[in-house]
Amino acid sequence: MMTTNQGFFLLKSRLTKAVQQEILAAARSVVIQAPLFRPTMANGQSFNYSMTNCGELGWVADRHGYRYQQVHPETLSRFPAMPQVIRDLAINLAKETGNDNFDPESCLINLYRKGEKLGMHQDNTEKNLSAPIISISLGDSGVFVLGGFLRTDETKHYIVQSGDIIVMSGESRNFFHSFKGTVPNTSNLLKDGGRLNLTIRQVN
Ligand code: SIN
Ligand code: FE2
């Protein structure tokens, strides 16, 4: 386990292949009910990767900005319930890293294909900015970048591989971070390649 004194954890190889496959199957069942979408933001720019959600609330973006809502922005159906395997894992990971009483309300599923990435940002759409953020990596490896409270703070690069977990709690909960992109053909978990990242959050 890699831990910093700022509440940031990178749990390498935390998930067995069997568990990774179980979570992938659960994510697939979500995608069938709530198709992946690629939001366009206020400035007309399209997101660089695809996403969907499960759980009570889903994180969405459009010309009005970022928010949580109960319905898929295209189908207008409620996001499917969070599969039990994801919910239980998130609660256990929170406990394991010293975060009791975590209530997983939302699971954002990001799919990054070759060349797709996510720029530097802070997670601040949540009302609750102290509950931990649990992040599950599946499929191709990639580079996760962690900064500090300021956009200009020094950054550290971490390789995230299939089955690795990141927990951002404590101070690091509100640190700037980004995903620089995948290293193609580093995993055979997803048959078409790419990386799935599941971000489980408590919103309220
Ligand atoms: C995020 O910050 O929302 C996702 C980061 C990742 O894909 O690892
Ligand atoms: Fe984030």
Side-chain angles (χ1 to χ4, degrees):
M1 180 190 305
M2 206 234 73
T3 315
T4 68
N5 55 10
Q6 299 161 316
F8 178 81
F9 297 81
L10 171 55
L11 312 178
K12 295 296 292 177
S13 305
R14 171 62 175 70
L15 308 180
T16 62
K17 195 82 191 256
V19 171
Q20 293 173 46
Q21 270 152 354
E22 201 183 342
I23 294 167
L24 177 61
R28 281 222 175 93
S29 74
V30 169
V31 170
I32 289 167
Q33 302 166 71
L36 290 161
F37 59 96
R38 204 177 267 250
T40 302
M41 295 170 287
N43 60 11
Q45 260 206 335
S46 173
F47 267 61
N48 189 252
Y49 58 92
S50 313
M51 66 179 73
T52 190
N53 291 270
C54 57
E56 281 302 302
L57 292 168
W59 187 86
V60 301
D62 62 18
R63 62 197 172 84
H64 303 295
Y66 306 132
R67 67 184 172 281
Y68 281 93
Q69 65 183 37
Q70 292 182 318
V71 300
H72 187 287
E74 291 172 1
T75 67
L76 302 183
S77 295
R78 287 278 298 258
F79 285 113
M82 196 179 308
Q84 199 68 38
V85 57
I86 297 174
R87 201 187 142 74
D88 291 348
L89 176 62
I91 291 172
N92 287 335
L93 290 165
K95 281 211 184 96
E96 205 175 300
T97 53
N99 300 281
D100 290 342
N101 309 315
F102 178 60
D103 179 14
E105 294 181 279
S106 176
C107 174
L108 172 68
I109 302 176
N110 288 346
L111 172 66
Y112 305 91
R113 297 282 190 201
K114 191 178 169 189
E116 297 182 344
K117 54 189 189 290
L118 167 62
M120 212 60 175
H121 67 280
Q122 285 169 304
D123 288 14
N124 55 14
T125 316
E126 300 72 33
K127 281 204 191 83
N128 184 331
L129 294 177
S130 52
I133 297 169
I134 313 285
S135 165
I136 303 173
S137 289
L138 295 177
D140 280 338
S141 304
V143 180
F144 180 89
V145 182
L146 182 71
F149 285 120
L150 303 176
R151 194 177 281 278
T152 49
D153 282 346
E154 205 177 296
T155 58
K156 284 201 183 92
H157 289 48
Y158 299 98
I159 298 281
V160 282
Q161 292 168 293
S162 197
D164 290 355
I165 303 288
I166 283 177
V167 177
M168 292 170 75
S169 63
E171 283 199 302
S172 76
R173 162 65 182 77
N174 299 300
F175 282 1
F176 275 91
H177 57 283
S178 69
F179 179 68
K180 272 192 115 164
T182 65
V183 187
N185 310 315
T186 41
S187 163
N188 54 16
L189 190 76
L190 276 66
K191 76 175 182 337
D192 299 327
R195 170 178 181 260
L196 271 187
N197 181 251
L198 278 60
T199 308
I200 300 106
R201 285 181 282 218
Q202 177 171 342
V203 179
N204 296 295

